[in-house]
Amino acid sequence: DALPISNTASDVFASLDGTKVAVSVTIDTFAAGLSGKLENGDVISLIVVDKDTGKATIPGALKYMKVITTTTSGGIDQDSIVKNEDGSYEIPSTVTLLANTEQAKMLAKYEADTTLTVALVYRGTPENAKKFLDKQDEYFLNLDSENEGESNTANMSKSGNDDIIQRANDIINGNADYYDVEEAVNNG
């Protein structure tokens, strides 16, 4: 929480203290990067599309992420982009995000195995953006406490109905990554 609410890339980079990291992912297409309209400080969700199956998901761990900056293929950051002579702008080819180490590892894997698409969640005051980011941090705190206690899927009650419904609601609300149907059936 010691990170500044400033939206300049330099300020965010200078404030990194090991609790969060900066990680960049490739914007494969114009549309995948919100058609070049991302701004520093935006809160986004990352839609992960499996290249083989075409299945699209928004993992709970990537639901609310802060855009530090976008960068063109020429290495120019969002806050330094200038208009071309014809009035157009060079389109970003990467987006740099503020992430915890788990998110950074996920993004590195997804970068190699999937296609990522950006969905704008919030643009506005840094104070309100922080509410989304705090919600994302809560997601990881809840995961940590689940991992220290009993696993939701492995320890369902024999009737299982209440736990299955709760788990489904957790998935729908972004509080769980997935639901293992086979495991639930075998343990129920």
Side-chain angles (χ1 to χ4, degrees), residues 14-27:
S15 71
L16 294 175
D17 62 3
T19 60
K20 299 278 183 162
V21 298
V23 61
S24 293
V25 292
T26 303
I27 300 170

Side-chain angles (χ1 to χ4, degrees), residues 74-116:
I76 301 169
D77 283 346
Q78 169 71 29
D79 34 7
S80 301
I81 292 177
V82 294
K83 259 186 199 177
N84 295 326
E85 289 179 16
D86 65 3
S88 66
Y89 293 92
E90 191 176 347
I91 299 302
S93 59
T94 64
V95 58
T96 302
L97 303 166
L98 186 65
N100 64 35
T101 54
E102 286 305 309
Q103 289 170 312
K105 289 189 282 187
M106 287 178 74
L107 289 169
K109 179 176 177 5
Y110 287 145
E111 174 84 4
D113 299 341
T114 66
T115 300
L116 297 171

Side-chain angles (χ1 to χ4, degrees), residues 11-179:
D11 287 346
V12 175
F13 291 144
S15 71
L16 294 175
D17 62 3
T19 60
K20 299 278 183 162
V21 298
V23 61
S24 293
V25 292
T26 303
I27 300 170
D28 287 334
T29 66
F30 183 58
L34 202 67
S35 303
K37 303 213 175 4
L38 286 175
E39 294 182 6
N40 298 3
D42 282 350
V43 176
I44 62 165
S45 289
L46 283 166
I47 302 168
V48 178
V49 182
D50 184 292
K51 291 178 181 177
D52 296 327
T53 65
K55 181 181 176 192
T57 59
I58 298 175
L62 305 177
K63 192 170 182 181
Y64 302 123
M65 302 200 67
K66 179 178 180 172
V67 173
I68 297 174
T69 192
T70 56
T71 307
T72 68
S73 61
I76 301 169
D77 283 346
Q78 169 71 29
D79 34 7
S80 301
I81 292 177
V82 294
K83 259 186 199 177
N84 295 326
E85 289 179 16
D86 65 3
S88 66
Y89 293 92
E90 191 176 347
I91 299 302
S93 59
T94 64
V95 58
T96 302
L97 303 166
L98 186 65
N100 64 35
T101 54
E102 286 305 309
Q103 289 170 312
K105 289 189 282 187
M106 287 178 74
L107 289 169
K109 179 176 177 5
Y110 287 145
E111 174 84 4
D113 299 341
T114 66
T115 300
L116 297 171
T117 298
V118 170
L120 180 64
V121 173
Y122 178 78
R123 175 179 291 160
T125 67
E127 294 79 13
N128 283 338
K130 186 177 181 318
K131 293 175 186 175
F132 287 96
L133 302 175
D134 288 346
K135 189 77 170 160
Q136 184 68 70
D137 288 342
E138 274 179 41
Y139 170 85
F140 283 96
L141 290 173
N142 291 338
L143 273 185
D144 287 344
S145 64
E146 274 184 27
N147 291 338
E148 289 171 9
E150 297 178 346
S151 167
N152 275 351
T153 56
N155 295 308
M156 289 187 171
S157 66
K158 287 295 175 195
S159 69
N161 290 340
D162 291 339
D163 289 338
I164 290 171
I165 291 168
Q166 179 60 51
R167 186 75 174 151
N169 283 329
D170 286 347
I171 294 164
I172 291 166
N173 294 319
N175 296 327
D177 285 331
Y178 66 93
Y179 179 67

